[in-house]
Amino acid sequence: DQQVKQNSPSLSVQEGRISILNCDYTNSMFDYFLWYKKYPAEGPTFLISISSIKDKNEDGRFTVFLNKSAKHLSLHIVPSQPGDSAVYFCAARYQGGKLIFGQGTELSVKP
Amino acid sequence: GAVVSQHPSRVICKSGTSVKIECRSLDFQATTMFWYRQFPKQSLMLMATSNEGSKATYEQGVEKDKFLINHASLTLSTLTVTSAHPEDSSFYICSARDLGEGGNQPQHFGDGTRLSIL
């Protein structure tokens, strides 16, 4: 039973445009949501997070939106750069810090 | 920022060997560390929570006798894959959270260990 889902395994975007990565969850007890970026053979790198009591958090080119009623969150990257190409994981936090990860979306930003 | 170091980065060994992986928090203390496993093209799956000075707590379906966890200090947790077999081949990643900066700090991850059992 996948509690955190990223339904798009891949996304291709032109440089300078907006990248939108989506994530759905099923458990309303999650209290925090995070986005991580990952390159092959490396550990995930933290990007941005949002508390379940907020609906938006922005950090530079990255903005995360949370829609609790729809149990949906998204990561917006604008403008997208070729260096953003990586696998992006959505994660939800529960039970004292444990994270459940989505399957990941591979973003490719083309020059 | 917070740095987590994981060692070794890659291990290739024969079936039946036990393999130890170390996870260190380099610039902060971590009473809790987490161990994940990732199969190719799949998500990171939490295996266990490592607690300093006490027993680890394992997720459902993870064999505690197979994956031994020791968290002997505030900066070091080890995962030992005992009597490893080819099906244990995977990418193992640890993480830690700097609780000294408040409860909502994110987990920081090591660079992972690629374990290949022949």
Side-chain angles (χ1 to χ4, degrees):
Chain A
D1 179 29
Q2 190 77 24
Q3 296 189 62
V4 179
K5 294 183 183 179
Q6 292 174 259
N7 292 316
S8 298
S10 63
L11 175 67
S12 184
V13 171
Q14 204 69 31
E15 181 179 7
R17 301 283 197 144
I18 185 171
S19 295
I20 300 177
L21 299 110
N22 294 303
C23 179
D24 297 294
Y25 63 95
T26 58
N27 191 338
S28 58
M29 298 302 291
F30 293 138
D31 67 347
Y32 228 70
F33 301 91
L34 306 91
W35 284 94
Y36 284 86
K37 177 181 181 180
K38 186 179 181 301
Y39 294 110
E42 292 185 11
T45 302
F46 170 72
L47 274 178
I48 192 169
S49 63
I50 187 167
S51 166
S52 61
I53 62 173
K54 306 271 189 180
D55 56 19
K56 178 182 176 181
N57 187 26
E58 189 172 355
D59 184 2
R61 296 186 298 115
F62 302 92
T63 303
V64 55
F65 295 93
L66 175 62
N67 182 334
K68 281 193 72 174
S69 61
K71 293 191 175 67
H72 177 86
L73 65 155
S74 60
L75 173 67
H76 293 211
I77 306 173
V78 57
S80 302
Q81 300 172 354
D84 295 329
S85 298
V87 177
Y88 288 78
F89 286 95
C90 162
R93 193 180 78 175
Y94 76 112
Q95 288 184 22
K98 295 181 183 181
L99 295 181
I100 296 182
F101 283 83
Q103 308 94 311
T105 297
E106 184 170 10
L107 174 65
S108 175
V109 180
K110 301 192 182 302
Chain B
V3 178
V4 175
S5 173
Q6 192 171 336
H7 178 81
S9 59
R10 185 172 181 99
V11 179
I12 303 173
C13 57
K14 294 181 180 179
S15 184
T17 307
S18 291
V19 178
K20 180 186 280 189
I21 303 169
E22 292 187 348
C23 180
R24 294 180 186 272
S25 55
L26 296 185
D27 54 358
F28 64 97
Q29 293 184 331
T31 55
T32 302
M33 293 184 176
F34 302 90
W35 287 95
Y36 295 83
R37 181 175 182 176
Q38 185 187 25
F39 290 104
K41 302 287 186 182
Q42 293 189 26
S43 180
L44 283 76
M45 300 297 294
L46 179 65
M47 297 174 64
T49 303
S50 172
N51 305 298
E52 189 268 335
S54 64
K55 291 183 179 180
T57 53
Y58 290 81
E59 296 301 301
Q60 192 173 12
V62 178
E63 299 176 59
K64 63 176 86 174
D65 295 329
K66 176 74 168 175
F67 300 100
L68 298 179
I69 291 173
N70 183 275
H71 195 149
S73 77
L74 287 171
T75 59
L76 173 64
S77 174
T78 61
L79 168 68
T80 301
V81 184
T82 61
S83 187
H85 292 285
E87 59 266 28
D88 298 322
S89 298
S90 191
F91 190 58
Y92 293 87
I93 314 175
C94 71
S95 73
R97 192 157 56 109
D98 185 357
L99 293 177
E101 295 187 9
N104 286 328
Q105 288 303 305
Q107 289 182 26
H108 296 278
F109 286 80
D111 277 341
T113 298
R114 170 71 59 194
L115 176 61
S116 300
I117 307 298
L118 306 177

